[in-house]
Every structure is written in C-alpha cells, then in structure tokens.
Amino acid sequence: MKPAQILVIGGAVADVSLGPVDRTIFDRDSTPVDHVSLSTGGDALNEATTLARLGHRVRLVTLLGTDPAGDYLLEQCRRAGLDCSAIVRDPQVVTSVNAVLVDRTGERRFVTAKDTSLRRLGPEHTALALKQLDGVQIASFASLFVSPRFGPQELEDLFAALHRKRILVCTDMTRPKNGERAEDLAGALQYVDFFFANLEEGRMFTGETDPEAITQRLVDLGVRNVALKLGADGCYYRFDNWSHHVPAYSGCQCVDTTGAGDTFVAAFLHGLLWGIPRWRCADLANAAASVCVEHTGCASGALEMEEIERRAAVIRDAAQ
C-alpha cells in the first residue's frame, strides 16, 4: 500500500439510525418508522471514509474494543480502503455504539454511552501513527471535545509534533463539554492551519455571536484559516484579513443531517490536496454537504465528484 496522504485522528462508532421520530415515541410501546439502519459513524470515520471514496489514501487513528461492534467497524474500514495500521484494539474497552434519532426535518439527536472507546481515546493511541508520517500531507483531528483525554496540553503536544513535520494541521470541533473557551486552547490553536466549526459551536467556543467576530477571534489566536459552517446559509470563510460568505447549494432536499459536517470537512481537504485555491474549497465543501443531507446517515457512498463539482459551480455563480 502506498503511504497515506492524510492522517485522520478521532472516534469511530457504529450508528443505529432511526426515524423520522418525535417526542411522542415515548408515549407508545412500539413505533413503526420509515427506517432503522446500522452504519459506520463518528467524526473521524465519517471523514476518513469520505476522503477514501474521493480517491485519497487515508490512515485512520482510532480506538476500538475487541467486541462485535469493533469487529464490524474494522471490517468496514478495510472495505473502505483505509489504512488500518494505526487502529488500536483494546479488550478492556467497549466499542462505541450510538443511537441516532432523526426528526421530520432531518435534524438528529444522539444517544451515547458514557465510557466507551469514543471517550477513552487518548494520546497513547496516536504514538504509533506519529512514527509513520512519511508521505502525510494533512493531519485532521476530528473533533475537539469528543475525546476528553485530549486536553489543552495533549492537543498542543500533538499539533506541535505534526507542525514540526510540516504537515497541515486541521481540526473540527463539537460543543465544548465543560465550558472550554478558545483562550484555553491558545497553545494548540497556534499550530492549526484549518479550523472548522458550526455556528453554535463557534459561539460557545469564542463567546462571540456573529460569524465575522467568531472567525476573527480564532485568527487572532493564531489559526490560519477558519471555515464556519452555517447549515442552510452555507459557510463563512476567513484567513488573515480576508473573509467571505459562501452560499449553500439551494436545490437540495434535506432528509438527514447526520455526517454533513464531516462531509464538509472531507470535501474541503479534498480540494486542498488537489491544489484548488483555499477560498474555492468552501464551494466544494458546501456542495458535498448538500449531497450528504439528501440521504440517511453519512452518505459518503453516494458522493460523486461530478455532482459535487456541478453543485459547486452553481454555488460559485450564486456568489458572484
């Protein structure tokens, strides 16, 4: 196998998705729904699988148990063509399985177990990967605050080690779980080349409210590029003193938003690897996310570059 171009670090989970449901599900003993499906999930695995299906060589760094859920995820990683050499399996760990409840608008809620592989991933599980960086151009940490054992110092150490190897450091985030603020991660943020967040996450993390102020705050702390995901409003992109609102693709029909943010990041990184100007990578990212939300679960298998590029062209025209 050729050396990996991309290192993706973070959680891999099995998702049991069901819907559409609403609060009345708790009023009945049994509720028939349109779909109940088992699929792979987790920020890192979603992102890695999407990148692999877009033609890139990807090494996934994650933690799994030796239980049936771990067996299932490892087999799916192999089928997706991922480099699995840095996946750690621990018999003392229970592999994460999420219940994904999808409502009639496509929005979803997750039910997760507290002490499974997603939460127990830590710096020791990246040790092998950091010894195998030849050929790696991009490292993506997906996502901040998912794995609590990666605190501010652990993240700074990891990002600094990648930065010293002249690897582009990228990170996504979820909601801060313990009130963490951007200032708390200033040591790590100084090494981040591309930072991704949605609007709610950005507000919680920076204390700012509007996209311009959120992205400026992160740039002030040393981040070189920020893409703030705005859902149906597209995204807001900033580097240095330049910023731009990129509209969403307006023609999609939202079924399920699961994995849309991960697909956004993967498509953005795809653009970077293909040498597309960074401000144009956001067009691809919005286009790919619009394809994802039209399917149940993280629909990386449904992504086709021809359709993504067609939608990206529509987005570019709308922005002019």
Side-chain angles (χ1 to χ4, degrees), residues 55-262:
H56 300 288
R57 300 187 301 276
V58 187
R59 180 180 303 132
L60 178 64
V61 183
T62 195
L63 172 66
L64 301 174
T66 56
D67 48 12
D71 293 342
Y72 165 74
L73 289 173
L74 184 60
E75 176 60 24
Q76 295 305 308
C77 289
R78 288 171 174 160
R79 288 188 178 186
L82 302 181
D83 178 341
C84 300
S85 63
I87 295 177
V88 177
R89 302 199 70 182
D90 185 341
Q92 302 302 314
V93 169
V94 175
T95 302
S96 296
V97 178
N98 289 345
V100 186
L101 309 180
V102 184
D103 68 21
R104 295 189 182 280
T105 70
E107 291 298 325
R108 74 282 187 271
R109 301 291 185 273
F110 293 100
V111 181
T112 66
K114 293 181 179 179
D115 189 29
T116 56
S117 56
L118 195 65
R119 312 299 178 201
R120 296 182 65 178
L121 180 69
E124 69 272 25
H125 302 120
T126 66
L128 178 61
L130 291 179
K131 296 177 181 178
Q132 300 175 343
L133 294 176
D134 290 347
V136 174
Q137 300 172 49
I138 293 176
S140 178
F141 188 87
S143 296
L144 298 180
F145 312 123
V146 166
S147 301
R149 296 188 58 232
F150 279 101
Q153 188 59 57
E154 291 79 13
L155 288 168
E156 181 176 350
D157 292 344
L158 174 60
F159 293 173
L162 295 167
H163 179 77
R164 286 194 294 270
K165 293 291 187 177
R166 299 184 182 277
I167 294 169
L168 283 179
V169 178
C170 307
T171 188
D172 201 345
M173 68 173 290
T174 59
R175 296 180 185 182
K177 303 298 189 294
N178 298 297
E180 298 94 340
R181 299 297 289 269
E183 293 79 5
D184 301 327
L185 270 68
L189 293 177
Q190 66 180 314
Y191 298 112
V192 173
D193 296 289
F194 290 87
F195 188 100
F196 304 94
N198 68 33
L199 181 58
E200 181 180 6
E201 294 160 352
R203 285 171 170 167
M204 295 176 69
F205 191 46
T206 66
E208 304 290 350
T209 56
D210 65 273
E212 182 177 2
I214 292 168
T215 55
Q216 184 62 60
R217 181 69 186 126
L218 290 165
V219 168
D220 288 344
L221 287 169
V223 177
R224 279 161 280 289
N225 299 263
V226 183
L228 191 67
K229 296 171 282 187
L230 305 176
D233 290 326
C235 72
Y236 190 87
Y237 182 67
R238 175 183 293 277
F239 66 90
D240 298 329
N241 293 318
W242 185 92
S243 62
H244 181 58
H245 173 255
V246 182
Y249 177 74
S250 61
C252 72
Q253 299 295 318
C254 183
V255 173
D256 182 2
T257 59
T258 303
D262 307 325

